[in-house]
Amino acid sequence: MAIVAFGGEETFEAHVPLVIVGAGACGLVAALAAHEHGVSAVVLERDALPWGSTSMSQGFIPAAGTRFQEQLGVVDSPALMAADIQRKNGHQADPAIVRALTEASAGVVEWLADAHGVPFDLVEGFLYPGHSRMRMHATPRRTGEELMGSLLNAVEAAGIDLLTEAQVVDLHVDGTGRVRGVTLERPDGSQESFGCDSLILACNGYGGNSELVARHLPMLKDALYFGHEGNQGDAVLWGEAMGASLKDLGACQGHGSLAMPHQTLITWAVMMRGGVQINREGRRFSNEHGGYSEQAAKVLAQPGGMAWNLFDRRIHLAALEFEDYRNAHIAGAVRTFDSLEAMAADLSLSFEALRETFAEMQVLAESGEADAFGRAFSSKDLLEAPYHAIKVTGALFHTQGGLEVNSQARVLRQDGSPFDNLFAAGGAARGVSGSGDSGYLSGNGLLSAVVLGAIAGREAARQLGCDSAA
């Protein structure tokens, strides 16, 4: 990956107004937004099938003030959502970006539903850690794969050019920092070049680059990476070479509930509905309601880097709403026990420790007091036989730091001024999760991908319209 100095004499094989690097949710939504504003774009994707990180997620997009919420009596607002995001990240995110995303969120979700047929509905029944309202919007199967399928259908229906097996290897940049074009490489090593008037980087973060992970996320350098292998930090490396401002490179989304050895994501709804995590000693070690991102490091710190999700039939039946959970169940990841004694024997746990763990939860529910980790229990959520258990580990899903952008998704230089025609969104851009692993509020990743992606596409199109008018 390199920056190639543009001297004005290069010739490109083709020219398009807008090039978008990456065909995940971010790039596809950016292309749809630009198309709506009358600008032709070409989306360049390194893989043969454009699935990316989005397809590995549950596809939940948080949005405030949508008609989907209104239909179910959920009263929400961008201000409430912004407060939740900032409270979770310790007020470390750029308030202007948080405001831009939350204020645009409802409009983007409804636009995708109405103009492009994405079949959203509101995820009900529980609140993810840190959210004060039910505001997760998802497709019926609750998978990122289904969301990607809907977006790909929309891009095809709009007639937007999408080139796969087209890895961008070079950016051509002139002396003023203006991007003039890109060079892409095919699997056989052949190269093609495109000139462009604007460029959107939608190629995610650096989670698949072990060197960058070790440098910026040392606490997760040995964690299983459960993101897309193509997330090699291209945008970060290009930006660094161009003198762009990079922010919050220590921010990430981990997850403390990846089924092993099946490597299937287990929804955190299991914890939010009353489940707990114990280590191989049979004891809890954290507040499971604190957040699933920071839970990754806590699970990895346990003996063997493993834990057990414990829950009951009530929670099991509710979790079957999620396709990933159904797949884990079919694969045999979910074990069932009629008693604590049977569970302890089968999982090689201390029965005495396990019994003490359950007794403590009972006492806490009766007293109304929180435990040493800060979690409170209610009688209605206490676990009852038959019990279920899933062996899990902590994993790194994707990074949250990147190129600093303004509220129009324009990439900023180190002095705070914007590059003329360079935009970034999704994992390529600085997110709203602060500077570490504990600031991630559920849905922050797709919030940045989908909503900031829409903003990037719209603003690039507007800039091109202004440029052509001038």
Side-chain angles (χ1 to χ4, degrees):
M1 321 306 294
I3 298 294
V4 177
F6 181 84
E9 300 177 357
E10 291 89 339
T11 57
F12 297 106
E13 295 169 55
H15 184 278
V16 292
L18 175 63
V19 167
I20 300 172
V21 182
C26 181
L28 298 180
V29 172
L32 290 169
H35 181 267
E36 184 175 83
H37 285 78
V39 169
S40 298
V42 61
V43 185
L44 303 178
E45 168 58 41
R46 62 180 290 160
D47 294 335
L49 293 173
W51 292 111
S53 296
T54 302
S55 68
M56 304 178 77
S57 74
Q58 292 184 322
F60 288 9
I61 304 170
T66 68
R67 70 164 184 272
F68 302 101
Q69 291 176 303
E70 183 179 354
Q71 289 166 359
L72 295 173
V74 176
V75 178
D76 198 5
S77 71
L80 281 173
M81 182 173 166
D84 288 348
I85 291 172
Q86 292 288 56
R87 182 168 53 251
K88 188 69 168 66
N89 67 40
H91 297 271
Q92 293 180 338
D94 182 345
I97 300 298
V98 174
R99 183 168 56 252
L101 294 184
T102 55
E103 290 181 352
S105 62
V108 170
V109 165
E110 292 183 0
W111 162 66
L112 289 174
D114 298 339
H116 299 293
V118 181
F120 286 123
D121 61 30
L122 189 68
V123 179
E124 297 182 82
F126 65 97
L127 291 173
Y128 272 99
H131 285 283
S132 62
R133 299 289 189 277
M134 287 187 291
R135 58 172 67 102
M136 293 297 185
H137 297 74
T139 53
R141 286 168 42 204
R142 307 296 193 244
T143 67
E145 183 178 349
E146 185 180 35
L147 173 61
M148 279 296 296
S150 296
L151 293 176
L152 285 167
N153 288 340
V155 165
E156 182 179 5
I160 296 169
D161 291 327
L162 168 59
L163 301 186
T164 57
E165 297 186 313
Q167 181 178 358
V168 176
V169 292
D170 297 324
L171 304 188
H172 298 262
V173 181
D174 68 19
T176 70
R178 187 176 184 87
V179 178
R180 297 293 184 171
V182 302
T183 295
L184 62 88
E185 186 171 282
R186 296 294 192 173
D188 63 3
S190 62
Q191 294 189 338
E192 303 170 38
S193 61
F194 285 82
C196 65
D197 300 313
S198 283
L199 177 70
I200 297 176
L201 296 177
C203 45
N204 214 287
Y206 63 85
N209 187 319
S210 58
E211 180 181 342
L212 291 178
V213 169
R215 185 191 312 171
H216 300 296
L217 302 171
M219 73 285 192
L220 293 175
K221 64 182 179 64
D222 297 322
L224 177 69
Y225 175 55
F226 196 67
H228 191 267
E229 63 181 14
N231 297 340
Q232 294 294 317
D234 297 345
V236 168
L237 297 174
W238 281 322
E240 192 172 42
M242 292 176 65
S245 174
L246 302 173
K247 294 285 189 179
D248 295 337
L249 292 182
C252 67
Q253 186 227 321
H255 205 294
S257 189
L258 188 69
M260 294 298 288
H262 312 80
Q263 294 193 20
T264 301
L265 176 64
I266 304 300
T267 172
W268 206 245
V270 167
M271 297 298 120
M272 301 311 295
R273 290 183 183 273
V276 296
Q277 286 191 324
I278 62 169
N279 57 26
R280 61 171 53 173
E281 297 169 354
R283 302 188 184 280
R284 293 178 53 243
F285 51 87
S286 65
N287 177 357
E288 299 90 347
H289 288 184
Y292 57 73
S293 179
E294 58 266 46
Q295 194 72 5
K298 294 174 183 177
V299 169
L300 290 168
Q302 301 310 302
M306 298 287 177
W308 291 97
N309 288 355
L310 302 187
F311 49 106
D312 60 13
R313 181 171 177 77
R314 170 183 60 84
I315 298 172
H316 165 72
L317 293 175
L320 289 171
E321 171 189 3
F322 299 86
E323 184 170 300
D324 285 341
Y325 182 85
R326 296 197 300 272
N327 292 338
H329 183 233
I330 292 169
V334 183
R335 306 191 193 188
T336 305
F337 307 97
D338 291 330
S339 66
L340 295 181
E341 292 91 338
M343 185 193 301
D346 191 75
L347 304 184
S348 299
L349 304 172
S350 164
F351 171 60
E352 187 62 29
L354 189 61
R355 185 171 60 181
E356 289 177 0
T357 295
F358 273 69
E360 180 189 30
M361 291 190 288
Q362 180 71 47
V363 170
L364 291 168
E366 292 172 356
S367 69
E369 297 178 357
D371 63 15
F373 307 114
R375 177 174 171 179
F377 290 84
S378 66
S379 297
K380 66 181 180 64
D381 289 334
L382 287 177
L383 306 182
E384 299 178 350
Y387 303 107
H388 297 281
I390 303 176
K391 188 178 184 180
V392 298
T393 189
L396 171 63
F397 274 49
H398 55 79
T399 55
Q400 286 282 291
L403 300 169
E404 185 178 11
V405 296
N406 64 16
S407 56
Q408 288 78 48
R410 296 180 67 183
V411 177
L412 302 180
R413 295 181 171 87
Q414 293 178 11
D415 65 4
S417 63
F419 285 90
D420 287 344
N421 65 341
L422 181 61
F423 299 80
R430 176 195 187 188
V432 291
S433 299
S435 59
D437 65 342
S438 63
Y440 184 85
L441 185 67
S442 182
N444 275 2
L446 278 176
L447 174 67
S448 182
V450 172
V451 180
L452 192 59
I455 291 172
R458 178 194 70 200
E459 293 300 324
R462 285 180 176 175
Q463 184 191 61
L464 290 171
C466 291
D467 288 347
S468 62

